[in-house]
Amino acid sequence: MFRSYRRFVIVAYQFLPLLFAYARDRKRFVLFGRSRQVSAKTRRRRARSLLNSLLTLGPTFIKLGQLLSTRPDVLPSEYIDEFERLQDDVPPAEWTAAKAVIEADLGPIDEVFETFDEEAISGASLGQVYVARVGGEKVAVKVRRPGIGPLVEADLRVVRWSLPILMRFVGQARSFSLETIADEFEKTIREEMDYRREREMLIEIGENFADSDRIRVPGAIPDLSSERVLTMEYVGGTKISDIDDLDNLGIDRTELAKTLQRTYLQMIVQDGVFHADPHPGNLAVRDDGTIVFYDFGMSGRVDPFIQEKIIEFYMAIAAQDTDAILDALIEMGTLSPEADREVMSSVMELAIADARGENIEQYRVQQIIEQVEDTIYEFPLRLPPNLALVLRVATVVEGVCVTLDPEFDFISVATGYLREEGFIQESARDFIVDRADEALQFGESMVRVPPKLESALDDLDRGNVTLKVEFERDERTFDVLAKRLVLAALSTAALISASVLYAFATTPAAAVALTIGAALSVSLWRSFRRRRGIDAQPQFTRQRLREREK
């Protein structure tokens, strides 16, 4: 517990300057004063400062930053852009400490392995990888970073203790999102530290692609694995972003990009379990063009309902049907049903129009997602944790595909895949069935409505109908109206008093009354200048999106 308190002081020291700046954004003089506007340049500078703080605080906060980079509903786009640069690539721990972990879980290294290279081939915030030999075969041994457990537990307590403070600087909707992220982060980092779960995901995804000659998932070796050690096949290859090396091997990069995209589509919309960290360091290509996947610590699942809605979302983008896009977002729980559809439809239209190429079918889904991400922060949208991971995977995978082939057309590949797998025909069939059900319900309603209408008209004729009106505005709106009425009445009375005093009394007395009236009039005028109450402007307009993009 003492370690947690010490970490809290360290974290507070790193974050206090930023928190003080955020407090001044809400009230210029911290305890009082008006709010102030923050420019995109200032947000970018603060994002870089926060990024440096996360790197300074170490592994747990690097992982937190990576998680936050998938949540455009919580952070502005400038922070998302900066946090996406977080690379989980740190120097490995000392060999003696890693050796102690291996021998504690598996036994003496000399007895378990034929050979063991003491130099780690890669290091990350939570683990590091070594090469060894077992039964004459080369294997990769992933070891949890020594001493990381107590540090993570201390940092998780710090995150929990910090939440009430952070919630003072955000609105109610984002307070809910922060609590959700804290729960999600705790669950995610514990899962990543448990190599038994990674082994299970490795085996499950490997079985899904067992018959594929284009995809290779290293096989796990359960007998030489534990909660802190994961032993698997060693499968080498060329890093997928090394374009020159791929060209020297004669690899068709266009086909490679299509294979990668179709593989992730299969994981997400068919298998329901997917590799969730597709940056180039975790993807390699063998000499025959086979794609190799590494590091399944970050992986996720998609339930059947979300799978169905993702398919509908892709189809709606391909058809440029903004209403269908919004319907899919609402049904996935991303967009509130009470959202202004006209405004959100404008967002979608602009995103598609800006992303569209010369050919109406050739545009980048990544551009669409990025522009929607930019607006998510300004709207009451929420990203369910599994969907946030899918969204991040979609953008990262397409980024890799565009690196391989600058002319890569995501929509063409996605619709082609959905058509080949029968999803589009199935959706069309479901559409017909749904319309038939609606027609049947309409017919039943036509039979039920006349008697109810006659009964309602009878009640109206007898005077039994009561009309109840409710205002959707909150109480603050009526408080503003009441204050304005009082200020108007007082300022009017003060001005009348000033006129009477000037006519029948001394000039100084009239001046005092006039000063009071002027002060009240200024207060009344300022109340109309504030962006709240019934005169508040919408947070998004077409013009504001254009200005932000410029």
Side-chain angles (χ1 to χ4, degrees):
M1 186 62 71
F2 173 76
R3 184 174 192 171
S4 299
Y5 289 126
R6 185 166 61 86
R7 285 291 287 176
F8 183 79
V9 173
I10 295 172
V11 171
Y13 176 77
Q14 288 290 330
F15 290 157
L16 271 179
L18 276 176
L19 289 177
F20 182 73
Y22 295 144
R24 292 196 62 207
D25 292 343
R26 294 170 65 87
K27 293 182 179 179
R28 186 175 295 273
F29 302 104
V30 182
L31 299 178
F32 60 91
R34 297 182 61 183
S35 62
R36 60 181 182 178
Q37 295 294 323
V38 181
S39 67
K41 183 178 179 180
T42 300
R43 286 198 297 267
R44 179 78 62 182
R45 177 174 52 79
R46 290 179 180 176
R48 288 172 182 160
S49 175
L50 184 55
L51 176 66
N52 290 332
S53 295
L54 294 175
L55 291 171
T56 301
L57 291 170
T60 310
F61 288 89
I62 290 174
K63 286 292 179 183
L64 179 59
Q66 291 175 328
L67 175 63
L68 288 171
S69 72
T70 70
R71 299 304 299 265
D73 57 326
V74 174
L75 292 177
S77 59
E78 292 83 4
Y79 287 78
I80 299 296
D81 293 341
E82 292 296 324
F83 287 3
E84 283 176 345
R85 298 165 50 198
L86 274 172
Q87 295 295 320
D88 195 8
D89 184 13
V90 297
E94 293 293 331
W95 161 245
T96 52
K99 179 182 179 181
V101 173
I102 298 171
E103 293 191 332
D105 284 20
L106 303 183
I109 287 180
D110 295 340
E111 297 178 10
V112 176
F113 301 95
E114 295 172 2
T115 62
F116 201 105
D117 190 345
E118 298 178 2
E119 190 75 25
I121 60 173
S122 69
S125 57
L126 300 181
Q128 49 206 58
V129 181
Y130 298 88
V131 175
R133 282 191 175 274
V134 175
E137 299 292 333
K138 205 173 183 180
V139 296
V141 183
K142 186 175 181 180
V143 184
R144 186 198 292 176
R145 180 174 283 271
I148 193 65
L151 176 62
V152 168
E153 292 300 326
D155 285 343
L156 288 176
R157 291 193 193 97
V158 170
V159 170
R160 283 292 177 191
W161 294 343
S162 304
L163 267 182
I165 301 174
L166 293 174
M167 287 179 185
R168 293 180 176 272
F169 298 91
V170 298
Q172 183 176 358
R174 290 191 178 89
S175 294
F176 175 83
S177 294
L178 283 176
E179 288 183 288
T180 304
I181 285 177
D183 294 337
E184 178 190 350
F185 175 61
E186 184 171 345
K187 175 176 176 289
T188 299
I189 199 167
R190 290 187 192 282
E191 287 178 345
E192 285 198 53
M193 290 174 58
D194 186 354
Y195 288 171
R196 294 171 300 184
R197 177 187 180 274
E198 182 174 349
R199 184 178 74 240
E200 292 170 0
M201 301 298 275
L202 189 69
I203 293 172
E204 184 175 353
I205 295 176
E207 290 175 348
N208 292 336
F209 291 95
D211 298 330
S212 173
D213 59 354
R214 305 299 305 276
I215 301 299
R216 181 70 185 276
V217 177
I221 305 176
D223 293 341
L224 298 179
S225 301
S226 67
E227 183 181 355
R228 299 188 296 172
V229 180
L230 173 60
T231 306
M232 66 200 104
E233 291 180 283
Y234 178 87
V235 183
T238 302
K239 190 175 179 180
I240 200 167
S241 58
D242 291 343
I243 302 301
D244 292 339
D245 292 340
L246 294 177
D247 289 340
N248 292 335
L249 291 172
I251 303 294
D252 185 335
R253 289 190 277 115
T254 299
E255 285 301 316
L256 193 66
K258 289 180 180 179
T259 300
L260 180 63
Q261 185 62 66
R262 292 170 67 91
T263 299
Y264 271 95
L265 285 168
Q266 177 184 328
M267 290 183 190
I268 292 170
V269 303
Q270 278 191 285
D271 301 336
V273 56
F274 62 97
H275 176 268
D277 196 12
H279 69 79
N282 288 336
L283 299 170
V285 183
R286 306 192 77 186
D287 293 352
D288 61 357
T290 302
I291 299 177
V292 185
F293 289 79
Y294 302 129
D295 193 355
F296 287 77
M298 188 179 293
S299 50
R301 295 186 181 275
V302 188
D303 61 67
F305 176 78
I306 294 295
Q307 286 178 309
E308 179 185 344
K309 296 307 163 189
I310 289 174
I311 293 169
E312 292 179 6
F313 180 72
Y314 283 150
M315 292 172 58
I317 291 177
Q320 302 177 51
D321 186 342
T322 56
D323 285 333
I325 292 174
L326 295 180
D327 289 341
L329 291 175
I330 289 172
E331 293 182 29
M332 283 189 285
T334 301
L335 179 63
S336 169
E338 299 177 359
D340 188 329
R341 287 184 70 96
E342 183 178 353
V343 173
M344 288 305 300
S345 182
S346 297
V347 174
M348 299 302 170
E349 287 174 4
L350 285 172
I352 293 175
D354 289 343
R356 187 184 304 151
E358 292 182 2
N359 185 325
I360 199 169
E361 293 295 331
Q362 294 179 347
Y363 46 83
R364 304 254 183 268
V365 74
Q366 183 178 7
Q367 290 174 288
I368 297 173
I369 290 175
E370 285 176 353
Q371 292 192 41
V372 172
E373 282 182 350
D374 288 345
T375 61
I376 280 179
Y377 184 75
E378 296 186 12
F379 286 96
L381 306 184
R382 293 174 182 169
L383 286 176
N386 59 343
L387 198 58
L389 210 52
V390 170
L391 187 70
R392 186 84 250 124
V393 166
T395 57
V396 175
V397 168
E398 200 198 5
V400 175
C401 291
V402 170
T403 301
L404 292 170
D405 176 14
E407 302 301 320
F408 181 73
D409 184 354
F410 175 90
I411 297 299
S412 175
V413 174
T415 53
Y417 174 83
L418 296 175
R419 187 174 292 107
E420 290 174 17
E421 298 300 323
F423 289 110
I424 290 181
Q425 289 87 336
E426 184 177 341
S427 296
R429 195 160 45 246
D430 291 341
F431 178 82
I432 294 173
V433 171
D434 290 342
R435 299 296 80 74
D437 289 342
E438 289 176 3
L440 179 61
Q441 293 172 8
F442 177 75
E444 293 174 351
S445 298
M446 291 299 292
V447 175
R448 293 195 300 265
V449 165
K452 292 183 179 180
L453 180 60
E454 183 178 2
S455 176
L457 291 173
D458 288 342
D459 288 339
L460 184 62
D461 185 53
R462 289 193 293 267
N464 294 335
V465 176
T466 302
L467 180 63
K468 182 179 180 181
V469 179
E470 294 184 357
F471 292 94
E472 293 184 359
R473 300 288 184 179
D474 57 22
E475 293 182 1
R476 288 179 298 175
T477 301
F478 294 99
D479 289 342
V480 171
L481 288 173
K483 289 176 182 177
R484 288 174 181 171
L485 288 173
V486 171
L487 287 172
L490 291 175
S491 60
T492 301
L495 292 174
I496 293 173
S497 299
S499 301
V500 172
L501 290 171
Y502 181 74
F504 299 102
T506 62
T507 301
V512 170
L514 184 61
T515 302
I516 294 173
L520 291 170
S521 299
V522 170
S523 297
L524 179 62
W525 175 75
R526 284 174 58 85
S527 74
F528 284 96
R529 296 276 295 174
R530 294 173 187 167
R531 294 190 57 190
R532 64 179 186 179
I534 60 174
D535 287 332
Q537 296 296 316
Q539 292 182 327
F540 174 82
T541 63
R542 287 173 181 263
Q543 182 64 27
R544 284 196 61 192
L545 180 60
R546 292 193 185 101
E547 288 174 355
R548 189 163 63 245
E549 289 180 355
K550 289 178 183 178

